Amino acid sequence: MNIELTAIREIFEKGGEAMWPLLFLSILSLATILERMVFWTSVTLKEKELVNRVLEAARYDWRVAHEIARQASKQPVGRFLYAPLRLQNPDPEVFKLALEAAADNELTSMRRGEKVLEAVIALAPLLGLLGTVLGLIKSLGSITLGDIGTDASREVTTGIGEALITTATGLIIAIFTAAFYRMFQGFLFSQIKMFRKCGNELELLYRQYWPYAPKTSPTPPEPTPDTPAETPPYPSYREPNPQDSAINGASPTQSPPDAQTQLPEDQEPPSNIGPSTTIQ
């Protein structure tokens, strides 16, 4: 183990200054690949089983499908299916829009890390080539025409070989990263197909169910300290005043008058208003 570490250290030192940014790119690429591997492993685990359960439940009872999707909301496909099911008897077009919006959000999160891998693939060979060029400049700068064929020229040849280490390192990092990048792209394309297929089936089932769905009015949201309760759309009456009832010729126990005949609380009624007079 110590011998291997010593050999790696010697190669790293021979590569020159360009090996440090290449080391940083290799660590960045490895960390991103490990994170994406954990993510895709959790996504693809029991994914098809979950989709089949939701679609099968939607054929018989939409409340059961809603509950299954809600319990699986930690998974991307679960959040995708739960987005339209949490709505209360939506129009089919609204149902479709909810599916499309959820799919866009989930696919965007699945592309996380792509830009990092693309940057590593593009920069690693260039940094390796830069290290080689710098090494060649350093090796050829110390040789003269009189040194050709002597021991000095052999040292230059050795320096050129060492300068090519950075190019080889950069290519290895880029090839390794590109392989995993293409694999993650394949996972993403399979998710796009999965979302399109199960979304179309769920939308078709809902379009068949919607004409027979009970049309209920939406439940108003509960008031919170930040959002007070909404004012009802119908007019509200103040408490009946015995004095007003006496003026209008009605008993205090009668129902309040029409909204057009209601007097403001701070205005005294005229004395010449009879029981049948209407206030304009």
Side-chain angles (χ1 to χ4, degrees), residues 94-137:
V94 177
F95 191 91
K96 181 179 180 181
L97 289 175
L99 281 173
E100 293 176 352
D104 291 340
N105 292 335
E106 295 302 328
L107 293 177
T108 300
S109 65
M110 290 179 183
R111 291 189 175 95
R112 185 178 57 188
E114 283 188 0
K115 298 301 180 182
V116 175
L117 298 180
E118 290 175 358
V120 172
I121 294 171
L123 293 178
L126 295 178
L127 286 173
L129 183 60
L130 176 63
T132 299
V133 172
L134 295 176
L136 291 175
I137 293 173

Side-chain angles (χ1 to χ4, degrees), residues 42-202:
S42 63
V43 165
T44 56
L45 189 64
K46 298 182 179 180
E47 180 184 39
K48 294 183 178 179
E49 179 183 355
L50 173 62
V51 172
N52 292 333
R53 287 177 58 198
V54 173
L55 294 177
E56 186 67 23
R59 292 184 174 92
Y60 302 101
D61 193 341
W62 284 91
R63 291 174 297 179
V64 177
H66 170 275
E67 185 63 22
I68 295 175
R70 187 188 65 80
Q71 294 177 358
S73 58
K74 293 183 179 180
Q75 296 288 334
V77 69
R79 292 190 294 267
F80 167 70
L81 296 175
Y82 181 64
L85 294 177
R86 65 184 177 183
L87 302 177
Q88 197 171 41
N89 293 333
D91 185 85
E93 293 301 324
V94 177
F95 191 91
K96 181 179 180 181
L97 289 175
L99 281 173
E100 293 176 352
D104 291 340
N105 292 335
E106 295 302 328
L107 293 177
T108 300
S109 65
M110 290 179 183
R111 291 189 175 95
R112 185 178 57 188
E114 283 188 0
K115 298 301 180 182
V116 175
L117 298 180
E118 290 175 358
V120 172
I121 294 171
L123 293 178
L126 295 178
L127 286 173
L129 183 60
L130 176 63
T132 299
V133 172
L134 295 176
L136 291 175
I137 293 173
K138 183 178 180 181
S139 299
L140 297 176
S142 60
I143 191 174
T144 61
L145 293 176
D147 295 334
I148 298 176
T150 61
D151 294 338
S153 62
R154 295 176 184 175
E155 295 178 0
V156 172
T157 305
T158 304
I160 294 174
E162 293 177 354
L164 293 173
I165 292 176
T166 55
T167 300
T169 304
L171 290 174
I172 291 173
I173 295 174
I175 293 171
F176 177 81
T177 306
F180 282 95
Y181 174 77
R182 295 306 304 172
M183 183 177 66
F184 297 151
Q185 286 290 305
F187 289 156
L188 179 62
F189 293 151
S190 65
Q191 287 297 306
I192 293 174
K193 293 180 180 178
M194 172 72 71
F195 280 20
R196 183 181 296 116
K197 181 180 179 181
C198 65
N200 290 339
E201 292 184 8
L202 188 66

Side-chain angles (χ1 to χ4, degrees), residues 199-258:
N200 290 339
E201 292 184 8
L202 188 66
E203 181 186 355
L204 180 60
L205 290 173
Y206 185 76
R207 286 183 181 274
Q208 295 174 350
Y209 158 80
W210 185 71
Y212 309 100
K215 303 302 185 293
T216 58
S217 58
T219 304
E222 296 182 359
T224 60
D226 297 332
T227 59
E230 296 182 357
T231 304
Y234 46 84
S236 59
Y237 299 101
R238 63 185 176 89
E239 293 295 329
N241 192 344
Q243 183 179 359
D244 296 342
S245 302
I247 292 174
N248 291 316
S251 62
T253 58
Q254 289 180 343
S255 59
D258 187 72

